[in-house]
Amino acid sequence: MVRKTLIAGNWKMNGHIEDGVAHAKGVALEVKKAARKDCEVLICPPFTLLMAAKKAIKGSKVQLGAQDCHFDLKGAHTGDISPLMLKDLGCQYVIVGHSERRTDHGETNELIAKKAYSAIEAGLKVIICIGETEKERDENKTIEVCTAQIMGSVPSNSTAQNTVIAYEPVWAIGTGKTPTAEDVEEVHASIRKVIAKKLGRANANKMRILYGGSMKPSNAKELLALEDVDGGLIGGASLKVADFTAIIESSKQ
Ligand code: PEP
């Protein structure tokens, strides 16, 4: 089964207009020069940089995504951004359920499913993040936790075309630690089985499952070569053009 590799950069709460624009332009330029042509590349800057980043990547194949959205399409939600607004702005993707939102904002699987449902209705593709904490891993609950997160946060309108899953062990995010390649493959294969149960085998075979958590040029090749790893969600290393493009170049064909 050939699934198109997706390399996505999550800039988190980093960047002001000037450096954000320079960074987006740098990514677009390097992606144009890159030998690896047939992989999707996505940047997810903070809300404040989306418009400027959109202009900076214009004419390149780099796509634009946001890091979160509200579940309503419009209305009385002070400070929130709706998926329709993101679509209107030119985003193709939105990340939902990142562990930092689950932790910082108490987001539940139920809320994440509502956000993802509504984003899909608005015409966006969603990247739904899941992953276990260190404690859960130590207690051998990784598969159990990821299964519950998929069952609870993947909405009923998800298909392989509109949904991407990102497996991000919480303990690996921003820490420099990563699971072994064997562990990553085991979790990704089990995620695909759970997707099959929830959305059918055809969707499961075609749905992309990204790995995220301290992916960098030195470990990307090994992780991205795994059978059930269809790309990466990159935090820290996406803030350096050279590292982000090196990861793109090490992805499998
Ligand atoms: C992330 O936050 O999605 C992430 C994977 O971060 P990092 O690459 O910095 O671990």
Side-chain angles (χ1 to χ4, degrees):
M1 173 59 59
V2 180
R3 294 175 289 266
K4 194 169 190 180
T5 302
L6 171 63
I7 303 292
N10 173 14
W11 295 10
K12 311 195 187 196
M13 198 171 68
N14 290 296
H16 291 180
I17 302 280
E18 202 176 324
D19 55 307
V21 165
H23 187 56
K25 278 189 180 159
V27 170
L29 190 71
E30 289 306 314
V31 163
K32 215 170 264 176
K33 290 195 275 182
R36 179 79 171 83
K37 298 286 178 213
D38 59 343
C39 116
E40 261 188 84
V41 179
L42 170 70
I43 55 169
C44 301
F47 289 132
T48 51
L49 286 178
L50 285 172
M51 185 56 93
K54 177 187 153 179
K55 288 185 191 148
I57 59 176
K58 196 170 175 214
S60 83
K61 71 168 203 173
V62 179
Q63 300 184 78
L64 189 66
Q67 299 171 17
D68 181 45
C69 64
H70 197 271
F71 60 80
D72 255 353
L73 297 181
K74 64 173 191 172
H77 301 291
T78 303
D80 278 312
I81 304 288
S82 94
L84 270 185
M85 292 168 174
L86 297 176
K87 180 74 184 166
D88 183 44
L89 192 143
C91 288
Q92 287 95 357
Y93 280 88
V94 62
I95 299 170
V96 293
H98 191 281
S99 68
E100 285 151 16
R101 294 210 58 90
R102 291 178 187 259
T103 307
D104 295 355
H105 300 273
E107 293 197 3
T108 60
N109 289 329
E110 195 189 2
L111 176 68
I112 293 156
K114 281 171 79 175
K115 289 183 177 204
Y117 184 93
S118 169
I120 291 168
E121 288 290 291
L124 294 167
K125 293 179 187 171
V126 293
I127 299 178
I128 302 173
C129 302
I130 60 164
E132 82 288 357
T133 62
E134 188 150 39
K135 182 168 178 285
E136 288 161 344
R137 182 163 200 98
D138 290 345
E139 290 168 357
N140 274 323
K141 289 188 179 154
T142 299
I143 304 283
E144 187 189 318
V145 168
C146 291
T147 300
Q149 287 177 334
I150 292 167
M151 294 313 276
S153 54
V154 174
S156 57
N157 59 351
S158 269
T159 65
Q161 285 69 43
N162 62 30
T163 300
V164 174
I165 305 294
Y167 168 57
E168 301 205 301
V170 179
W171 54 272
I173 294 178
T175 59
K177 294 192 255 177
T178 50
T180 63
E182 293 70 34
D183 286 347
V184 171
E185 179 54 25
E186 187 196 348
V187 179
H188 278 233
S190 88
I191 290 170
R192 209 173 292 290
K193 276 197 200 132
V194 180
I195 296 290
K197 215 182 280 170
K198 190 169 170 106
L199 301 171
R201 175 51 60 192
N203 275 315
N205 284 344
K206 289 192 211 128
M207 189 169 288
R208 287 169 305 173
I209 306 172
L210 312 184
Y211 170 78
S214 296
M215 189 182 275
K216 47 188 182 244
S218 58
N219 61 22
K221 194 165 188 191
E222 184 185 22
L223 293 166
L224 293 170
L226 298 168
E227 191 179 333
D228 284 294
V229 175
D230 308 309
L233 180 56
I234 329 290
S238 75
L239 298 174
K240 290 186 194 137
V241 174
D243 286 0
F244 190 55
T245 43
I247 292 172
I248 293 166
E249 292 286 35
S250 50
S251 62
K252 65 177 170 243
Q253 300 293 323

